[in-house]
């Protein structure tokens, strides 16, 4: 006894694409944030980070990612205080001989 069934490759591809879309995480990448030296320590960095997160959420992003140079302890502390978690150490990023931390924060509704 055997069964012959038809296989529709188009339908199969559509199903795979639908599953992949459900598993995608929309994200925003923060490339550069700086506060002028004379204005540091006044909470402006925190305000800027919260604004980035607000805009990311308004665009339906589920997380924010960024890099911090290993030598920038002040920035690393700021991001961690705002809820960012270190996920990876990058060697030779952004250039050879430089190390950076990859951080991310999941945004909740």
């Amino acid at each position: 006894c055997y069964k012959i069934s038809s296989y529709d490759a188009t339908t199969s591809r559509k199903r795979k694409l639908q599953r992949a879309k459900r598993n995608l995480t929309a994200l925003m990448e923060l490339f550069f944030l700086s506060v002028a030296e004379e204005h540091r320590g006044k909470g402006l960095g925190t305000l800027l980070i919260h604004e980035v997160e607000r805009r990311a959420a308004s665009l339906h992003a589920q997380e924010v990612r960024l890099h911090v140079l290993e030598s920038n302890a002040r920035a690393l502390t700021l991001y961690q205080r705002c809820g960012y978690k270190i996920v990876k150490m990058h060697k030779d990023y952004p250039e050879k001989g430089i190390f950076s931390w990859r951080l991310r924060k999941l945004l909740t509704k």
Side-chain angles (χ1 to χ4, degrees):
C1 184
Y2 61 90
K3 180 179 180 183
I4 299 173
S5 62
S6 64
Y7 175 76
D8 183 351
T10 304
T11 302
S12 178
R13 281 192 296 272
K14 285 180 183 177
R15 285 188 191 134
K16 286 180 183 178
L17 183 59
Q18 288 170 343
R19 280 195 303 271
K21 284 181 179 179
R22 284 193 302 268
N23 293 330
L24 285 179
T25 301
L27 64 96
M28 180 175 281
E29 180 91 27
L30 176 59
F31 286 100
F32 186 79
L33 181 119
S34 180
V35 175
E37 194 170 334
E38 65 269 17
H39 296 292
R40 292 181 186 160
K42 299 176 183 177
L44 296 176
T46 301
L47 289 173
L48 289 170
I49 292 167
H50 290 316
E51 179 61 18
V52 167
E53 293 168 359
R54 186 191 68 74
R55 289 187 185 201
S58 74
L59 295 169
H60 307 287
Q62 297 170 356
E63 70 177 276
V64 177
R65 292 183 188 172
L66 56 96
H67 278 95
V68 175
L69 296 180
E70 180 186 32
S71 60
N72 195 346
R74 187 172 185 157
L76 181 60
T77 300
L78 170 65
Y79 290 119
Q80 288 178 316
R81 195 173 61 239
C82 289
Y84 288 78
K85 305 290 183 205
I86 294 173
V87 292
K88 188 175 183 179
M89 164 63 98
H90 285 274
K91 179 182 177 185
D92 298 329
Y93 183 85
E95 60 188 59
K96 190 167 177 69
I98 296 179
F99 294 84
S100 68
W101 299 105
R102 161 66 92 187
L103 288 87
R104 75 186 273 212
K105 180 177 180 179
L106 297 177
L107 304 175
T108 56
K109 303 233 177 207

